[in-house]
Amino acid sequence: MSFIYPQASLIAGVDEVGRGPLVGAVVTAAVILDPAKPIIGLADSKKLSEKRRLSLFDEIKEKALSWSLGRAEPEEIDQLNILHATMLAMQRAVAGLSVVPDFVLIDGNRCPALPMPAQAVVKGDSLVAEISAASIIAKVTRDREMAELDLLFPQYGFAQHKGYPTALHMERLALHGATLHHRRSFAPVRNALLDAEVLAAAR
């Protein structure tokens, strides 16, 4: 499958990481690549080894014409819902670019409202180099945040599961309750909080 690029000179790719986890921010990135400085091996961040991701992360930051991060915190996710919070984080990433793109390509099937033309590209992280680059920047950034959270709350195993609702995470959530960084509106977290209330009331 190949992707036909729109007629535009400055194209930004946008992707998000962290819609599924129960904890932490949803992190988005926007990247405008420099055609004069090609980056070899860009691919969907999920398909790359961690070592390869980290080396590409540094190379993208060094060679891109512009790159920017956007995020929506757990409180915003709880207020808006995850879809709207993701759109907001994407708007923030695009607004943060030091070079204004004339076209934005977004991974997935929905576009946030932007001041320039945009197109959603399903499986864009595998088809569009700019989106692949954005997926790498967003994933490395969020994984690092989960590693930091793991140091603060070692009992949850955040460095391993990155906040996703794995069996280990669910077990620790039931055992230790929710942290301040958990998304209250997500059912497993809501249930853990309710269970804690029930236990407290029974004591």
Side-chain angles (χ1 to χ4, degrees):
M1 245 175 100
S2 66
F3 173 74
I4 294 159
Y5 274 82
Q7 289 297 311
S9 52
L10 286 170
I11 293 174
V14 177
D15 200 4
E16 55 70 31
V17 173
R19 279 178 70 163
L22 308 177
V23 73
V26 59
V27 176
T28 61
V31 178
I32 301 174
L33 295 173
D34 184 347
K37 297 178 187 169
I39 299 169
I40 308 302
L42 288 174
D44 173 5
S45 63
K46 295 184 285 298
K47 298 190 176 121
L48 298 165
S49 69
E50 189 177 4
K51 190 179 168 196
R52 186 80 189 102
R53 248 195 327 263
L54 291 172
S55 75
L56 282 167
F57 176 80
D58 292 333
E59 194 180 348
I60 294 160
K61 291 205 310 190
E62 192 187 312
K63 290 183 174 176
L65 280 176
S66 183
W67 64 274
S68 165
L69 287 161
R71 51 195 298 122
E73 301 301 337
E75 304 79 43
E76 294 178 301
I77 293 167
D78 291 340
Q79 281 165 6
L80 297 168
N81 81 34
I82 187 62
L83 175 68
H84 288 100
T86 302
M87 294 293 132
L88 178 63
M90 286 180 167
Q91 288 168 330
R92 288 171 175 165
V94 173
L97 289 166
S98 58
V99 178
V100 179
D102 48 21
F103 206 100
V104 179
L105 296 171
I106 291 169
D107 184 58
N109 56 7
R110 305 183 80 120
C111 285
L114 292 168
M116 68 285 292
Q119 180 186 340
V121 185
V122 175
K123 300 212 179 342
D125 46 14
S126 305
L127 298 171
V128 177
E130 289 82 356
I131 296 177
S132 302
S135 82
I136 291 163
I137 295 281
K139 180 154 176 55
V140 171
T141 301
R142 193 176 191 285
D143 284 358
R144 284 179 177 174
E145 289 179 12
M146 286 295 112
E148 285 164 21
L149 207 57
D150 190 66
L151 297 174
L152 293 173
F153 303 95
Q155 67 273 36
Y156 290 89
F158 291 136
Q160 281 167 273
H161 54 65
K162 310 289 191 281
Y164 283 89
T166 62
L168 172 72
H169 191 182
M170 302 302 286
E171 179 196 307
R172 300 295 161 84
L173 191 59
L175 197 60
H176 302 293
T179 67
L180 285 173
H181 305 274
H182 276 90
R183 302 172 181 178
R184 304 286 189 264
S185 57
F186 280 42
V189 180
R190 205 167 56 231
N191 294 341
L193 290 165
L194 286 171
D195 291 347
E197 278 176 31
V198 170
L199 274 174
R203 279 185 189 139

Short mmCIF file of all heavy atoms in Angstrom, two decimals, residues 18-20 26 77-78 80-87 183 185-186:
data_model
loop_
_atom_site.label_atom_id
_atom_site.label_comp_id
_atom_site.label_asym_id
_atom_site.label_seq_id
_atom_site.Cartn_x
_atom_site.Cartn_y
_atom_site.Cartn_z
N GLY A 18 -1.03 6.54 23.87
CA GLY A 18 -1.58 6.55 25.22
C GLY A 18 -3.09 6.73 25.32
O GLY A 18 -3.59 7.20 26.33
N ARG A 19 -3.82 6.34 24.29
CA ARG A 19 -5.28 6.40 24.43
C ARG A 19 -5.80 5.28 25.32
O ARG A 19 -6.78 5.46 26.02
CB ARG A 19 -5.95 6.32 23.05
CG ARG A 19 -5.94 7.67 22.34
CD ARG A 19 -6.55 7.60 20.96
NE ARG A 19 -7.99 7.38 20.99
CZ ARG A 19 -8.80 7.60 19.96
NH1 ARG A 19 -8.29 8.04 18.82
NH2 ARG A 19 -10.08 7.39 20.04
N GLY A 20 -5.15 4.13 25.26
CA GLY A 20 -5.64 2.96 25.98
C GLY A 20 -5.26 2.83 27.45
O GLY A 20 -5.97 2.18 28.21
N VAL A 26 -2.28 11.50 27.65
CA VAL A 26 -2.20 11.06 26.26
C VAL A 26 -1.20 12.03 25.62
O VAL A 26 -1.32 13.24 25.78
CB VAL A 26 -3.58 11.03 25.55
CG1 VAL A 26 -4.27 12.37 25.52
CG2 VAL A 26 -3.44 10.51 24.12
N ILE A 77 -8.62 14.33 30.41
CA ILE A 77 -9.21 13.12 29.82
C ILE A 77 -10.53 12.79 30.54
O ILE A 77 -11.53 12.47 29.91
CB ILE A 77 -8.22 11.94 29.93
CG1 ILE A 77 -7.00 12.19 29.02
CG2 ILE A 77 -8.90 10.61 29.55
CD1 ILE A 77 -5.82 11.27 29.27
N ASP A 78 -10.51 12.93 31.88
CA ASP A 78 -11.71 12.63 32.67
C ASP A 78 -12.82 13.63 32.38
O ASP A 78 -14.00 13.28 32.36
CB ASP A 78 -11.37 12.62 34.17
CG ASP A 78 -10.50 11.43 34.55
OD1 ASP A 78 -10.47 10.44 33.78
OD2 ASP A 78 -9.85 11.48 35.61
N LEU A 80 -13.17 15.55 29.50
CA LEU A 80 -13.58 15.66 28.10
C LEU A 80 -13.98 14.33 27.47
O LEU A 80 -14.75 14.30 26.54
CB LEU A 80 -12.41 16.22 27.27
CG LEU A 80 -11.93 17.62 27.62
CD1 LEU A 80 -10.60 17.90 26.93
CD2 LEU A 80 -12.97 18.65 27.18
N ASN A 81 -13.41 13.25 27.93
CA ASN A 81 -13.38 11.88 27.39
C ASN A 81 -12.12 11.72 26.54
O ASN A 81 -11.54 12.71 26.08
CB ASN A 81 -14.68 11.43 26.67
CG ASN A 81 -14.82 11.91 25.23
OD1 ASN A 81 -13.84 12.04 24.50
ND2 ASN A 81 -16.04 12.19 24.82
N ILE A 82 -11.70 10.50 26.33
CA ILE A 82 -10.39 10.25 25.73
C ILE A 82 -10.30 10.74 24.29
O ILE A 82 -9.28 11.28 23.86
CB ILE A 82 -9.97 8.75 25.86
CG1 ILE A 82 -8.52 8.53 25.37
CG2 ILE A 82 -10.93 7.83 25.17
CD1 ILE A 82 -7.45 9.27 26.15
N LEU A 83 -11.38 10.62 23.52
CA LEU A 83 -11.33 11.07 22.12
C LEU A 83 -11.11 12.58 22.05
O LEU A 83 -10.21 13.05 21.36
CB LEU A 83 -12.61 10.68 21.38
CG LEU A 83 -12.67 11.22 19.95
CD1 LEU A 83 -11.62 10.52 19.07
CD2 LEU A 83 -14.04 11.05 19.34
N HIS A 84 -11.91 13.34 22.79
CA HIS A 84 -11.79 14.80 22.73
C HIS A 84 -10.46 15.28 23.32
O HIS A 84 -9.87 16.24 22.83
CB HIS A 84 -12.98 15.46 23.44
CG HIS A 84 -14.25 15.33 22.67
ND1 HIS A 84 -15.22 14.40 22.97
CD2 HIS A 84 -14.69 16.00 21.57
CE1 HIS A 84 -16.21 14.51 22.09
NE2 HIS A 84 -15.91 15.46 21.23
N ALA A 85 -10.00 14.59 24.35
CA ALA A 85 -8.70 14.94 24.95
C ALA A 85 -7.57 14.69 23.96
O ALA A 85 -6.62 15.48 23.87
CB ALA A 85 -8.49 14.15 26.23
N THR A 86 -7.69 13.61 23.18
CA THR A 86 -6.67 13.29 22.17
C THR A 86 -6.66 14.37 21.08
O THR A 86 -5.60 14.82 20.65
CB THR A 86 -6.95 11.90 21.54
OG1 THR A 86 -6.95 10.93 22.59
CG2 THR A 86 -5.89 11.52 20.52
N MET A 87 -7.84 14.79 20.65
CA MET A 87 -7.94 15.84 19.63
C MET A 87 -7.31 17.15 20.14
O MET A 87 -6.60 17.84 19.42
CB MET A 87 -9.41 16.09 19.24
CG MET A 87 -10.07 14.91 18.54
SD MET A 87 -9.34 14.59 16.90
CE MET A 87 -9.09 12.82 16.97
N ARG A 183 -6.59 7.64 35.49
CA ARG A 183 -7.73 8.28 34.83
C ARG A 183 -9.01 7.79 35.48
O ARG A 183 -9.42 6.65 35.29
CB ARG A 183 -7.71 7.93 33.33
CG ARG A 183 -6.42 8.37 32.65
CD ARG A 183 -6.34 7.84 31.23
NE ARG A 183 -5.09 8.23 30.57
CZ ARG A 183 -4.76 7.87 29.35
NH1 ARG A 183 -5.58 7.09 28.63
NH2 ARG A 183 -3.61 8.26 28.82
N SER A 185 -12.07 8.32 34.94
CA SER A 185 -13.24 8.01 34.10
C SER A 185 -13.14 6.64 33.43
O SER A 185 -14.10 6.18 32.83
CB SER A 185 -13.41 9.09 33.03
OG SER A 185 -12.23 9.19 32.25
N PHE A 186 -11.97 5.99 33.51
CA PHE A 186 -11.82 4.67 32.90
C PHE A 186 -12.37 3.62 33.86
O PHE A 186 -12.03 3.60 35.04
CB PHE A 186 -10.35 4.40 32.57
CG PHE A 186 -9.88 5.07 31.30
CD1 PHE A 186 -10.26 6.38 31.00
CD2 PHE A 186 -9.07 4.41 30.39
CE1 PHE A 186 -9.84 7.00 29.83
CE2 PHE A 186 -8.63 5.02 29.22
CZ PHE A 186 -9.02 6.32 28.94
#
